[in-house]
Amino acid sequence: MSFVILVSGPPRRIFVLILVSGFVILVSAQASLRYPARQVLLTIDNLHVAYGAIKALHGVSLQIDRGEIVTLIGSNGAGKTTLLRTISGLLHPTAGKMRWNDTDSPGDVRPASTPADLQYASSAPGTGVDLVSLPPHKIVSLGISHVPEGRQIFPDMSVRENLLLGAYQQQSKTQIDADLDRCYSLFPVLAERKNQRGGTLSGGEQQMLAIARALMARPKLLLLDEPSLGLAPLVVRKIFEIIKEINAAGTTIFLVEQNAHLALAIAHRGYVLQTGEVLLTDTARNLLHHPDVKKAYLGG
């Protein structure tokens, strides 16, 4: 007797071909296969944030796994920028938890392969670090960098000086020089204009500078707030290609973006935020085809 095992998918099924006394017997069964576990990098649980008496976030819960691009979409005023500012320590929640669960070395970072490969089993978060009690500079030192809405570069400083400010916690000149080279490689226009004042750059170039400045801190998680805002379509496509490249090199990305179609096209998973609450969460591919998402955010 001999046999051959074949696996097809998805859905995953196992087919066994058994040869007995000259007869072939086919046996089929549903496979119970799991994708490799991923580390939960950031866990947010029942987060509440308010501006005085005005409540901006109402019990927001989400997680970001190492190597992902996770996008957060929603209408203006939904609380997207508030959430990013809270993660980076610029705002303090009135209730809830934020846990940073980074335990692997930077060399162990592996990006998610494709938006379709999302049915993996995430590893359970460990004790982690409580971000709620930390000031912004400590959060940066853990490996979280924030590119704010509106870019907020220093207009009277040169491109190079703006980039060096992003590396203010780094001690090694060799490392800083290597990071500058990496940023100039990702954004060649910044190398051409490194001695030019930041305020004289175009809107797209300023956005590139803001992203590059955040990368100088060597983040494990990059928070991007509306990177396409006010930019021409060709520039937007270029920046989103670079975002994918940054993720492919190992940086996890949490993306807030007004262009929901473009954000979901490059993300692995997504969350829909409405009036301060998470309304939906799914793979980016499924959200692209969800009727409520299409109607509200995709013009469908």
Side-chain angles (χ1 to χ4, degrees):
M1 180 177 67
S2 60
F3 60 90
V4 176
I5 298 177
L6 304 173
V7 180
S8 73
R12 299 280 178 168
R13 298 194 67 83
I14 295 177
F15 296 91
V16 181
L17 301 178
I18 305 175
L19 181 62
V20 181
S21 301
F23 292 93
V24 177
I25 301 173
L26 175 63
V27 179
S28 172
Q30 183 73 38
S32 178
L33 301 178
R34 294 167 66 87
Y35 288 90
R38 287 190 179 277
Q39 179 197 355
V40 178
L41 194 59
L42 176 66
T43 305
I44 295 175
D45 183 28
N46 197 30
L47 196 69
H48 294 257
V49 180
Y51 297 93
I54 302 174
K55 295 181 179 180
L57 297 180
H58 312 272
V60 169
S61 297
L62 57 82
Q63 76 175 43
I64 299 172
D65 292 351
R66 182 180 285 272
E68 289 187 301
I69 298 177
V70 176
T71 189
L72 181 69
I73 62 174
S75 58
N76 290 336
K80 304 185 299 297
T81 292
T82 295
L83 179 57
L84 291 194
R85 289 172 60 83
T86 305
I87 294 171
S88 60
L90 299 173
L91 295 173
H92 297 286
T94 56
K97 298 177 181 179
M98 299 190 298
R99 306 296 296 183
W100 178 247
N101 301 300
D102 177 50
T103 57
D104 292 346
S105 67
D108 289 331
V109 174
R110 292 182 298 278
S113 54
T114 68
D117 292 340
L118 263 296
Q119 296 181 19
Y120 49 72
S122 298
S123 58
T127 54
V129 177
D130 179 15
L131 297 184
V132 171
S133 61
L134 295 182
H137 69 281
K138 292 291 187 182
I139 292 174
V140 172
S141 70
L142 288 174
I144 302 175
S145 290
H146 185 176
V147 181
E149 180 181 0
R151 300 180 277 278
Q152 298 187 25
I153 64 164
F154 295 93
D156 294 326
M157 301 179 70
S158 71
V159 167
R160 186 175 187 277
E161 289 169 336
N162 269 274
L163 292 176
L164 290 176
L165 281 176
Y168 79 99
Q169 292 189 352
Q170 307 297 335
Q171 302 297 321
S172 168
K173 184 179 183 303
T174 300
Q175 180 176 289
I176 292 172
D177 289 342
D179 292 339
L180 280 171
D181 288 342
R182 180 197 177 202
C183 288
Y184 291 149
S185 176
L186 280 170
F187 305 100
V189 68
L190 298 183
E192 298 170 6
R193 291 162 169 67
K194 62 183 178 182
N195 296 317
Q196 190 172 319
R197 288 173 54 245
T200 65
L201 301 179
S202 69
E205 291 166 351
Q206 289 187 21
Q207 186 63 67
M208 294 176 189
L209 178 56
I211 295 172
R213 181 181 61 189
L215 292 177
M216 289 294 295
R218 304 175 72 88
K220 297 166 185 173
L221 174 61
L222 182 63
L223 309 177
L224 292 171
D225 195 354
E226 303 283 10
S228 76
L229 187 64
L231 303 182
L234 284 176
V235 178
V236 170
R237 283 196 289 272
K238 174 62 176 176
I239 286 177
F240 271 68
E241 286 299 319
I242 293 171
I243 291 172
K244 289 166 59 179
E245 188 175 344
I246 292 168
N247 176 249
T251 303
T252 304
I253 292 175
F254 189 30
L255 170 65
V256 164
E257 176 51 48
Q258 60 175 352
N259 189 328
H261 191 280
L262 195 55
L264 291 170
I266 71 166
H268 302 97
R269 293 189 299 114
Y271 291 84
V272 178
L273 195 66
Q274 182 173 295
T275 58
E277 300 181 62
V278 174
L279 184 66
L280 289 170
T281 180
D282 207 334
T283 67
R285 177 176 296 178
N286 287 345
L287 288 176
L288 272 172
H289 297 94
H290 194 287
D292 292 340
V293 174
K294 291 172 69 174
K295 180 178 179 181
Y297 307 110
L298 303 177

